[in-house]
Amino acid sequence: MSLWVGDVAGIDLNAMAGSTLIETLGIEVVELRDDALVARMPVDHRTVQPAGVLHGGASVALAETLASWAGYLAVDRERFHVVGQEINANHIRPVFSGWVTATATPAAIGRRSQVWEVRIIDEAGKLACISRCTLAVIEQRSSYAAAAERSSG
């Protein structure tokens, strides 16, 4: 049984990334499973720190992006929206190049809050970062949209 609410097949999360930090960092959703959402991010000039390794902030941005998208898919989007409330991350090992892949799975899905675990692995499948993100579920139609559909003010 899927944890997603309603028909999610037609939702293009990658199209919503245009003109955002998500696009700038090169984050892209690669898989929607019944029980998880998966995305990847390049380890390149946009996402490394001066020492040449994946920046911890880029990992956190990937984790919060993925948790927020997962939370968005797990609510009735006509009635609710999700917003980040708290995030933590443990950076386990450095990544120097290639891609990292993140998988978001629910730790708790409630009526007013959600908690998502996001595991980020390197191309060898080794854990690079583990994060937990808490989302608040607010009673407001979701405002996620592609760049052309967003209001400018």
Side-chain angles (χ1 to χ4, degrees):
M1 183 172 148
S2 177
L3 63 92
W4 314 123
V5 174
D7 181 16
V8 297
I11 297 174
D12 186 352
L13 297 171
N14 291 321
M16 292 182 199
S19 299
T20 68
L21 175 72
I22 301 161
E23 178 183 56
T24 300
L25 296 178
I27 297 169
E28 54 190 47
V29 171
V30 295
E31 185 178 7
L32 176 66
R33 301 180 195 155
D34 283 347
D35 63 345
L37 186 62
V38 183
R40 69 183 194 152
M41 181 177 69
V43 180
D44 64 15
H45 68 280
R46 298 169 291 181
T47 58
V48 298
Q49 45 129 301
V53 298
L54 180 61
H55 193 294
S59 294
V60 172
L62 172 59
E64 185 158 357
T65 296
L66 197 56
S68 294
W69 272 336
Y72 164 78
L73 296 176
V75 296
D76 178 347
R77 292 164 296 284
E78 293 297 316
R79 296 182 51 218
F80 299 102
H81 185 61
V82 296
V83 295
Q85 202 170 30
E86 190 273 340
I87 189 164
N88 67 50
N90 295 99
H91 306 291
I92 309 300
R93 73 174 23 88
V95 181
F96 296 92
S97 63
W99 290 83
V100 289
T101 301
T103 303
T105 56
I109 303 290
R111 290 182 301 155
R112 297 288 173 225
S113 68
Q114 301 176 358
V115 179
W116 292 87
E117 179 182 275
V118 181
R119 297 176 66 85
I120 301 173
I121 60 171
D122 65 14
E123 289 180 319
K126 294 183 177 180
L127 186 64
C129 178
I130 187 165
S131 177
R132 190 179 59 229
C133 183
T134 302
L135 305 175
V137 179
I138 57 175
E139 257 185 275
Q140 167 187 315
R141 186 176 193 267
S142 181
S143 55
Y144 280 6
E149 301 166 348
R150 281 184 227 130
S151 66
S152 60

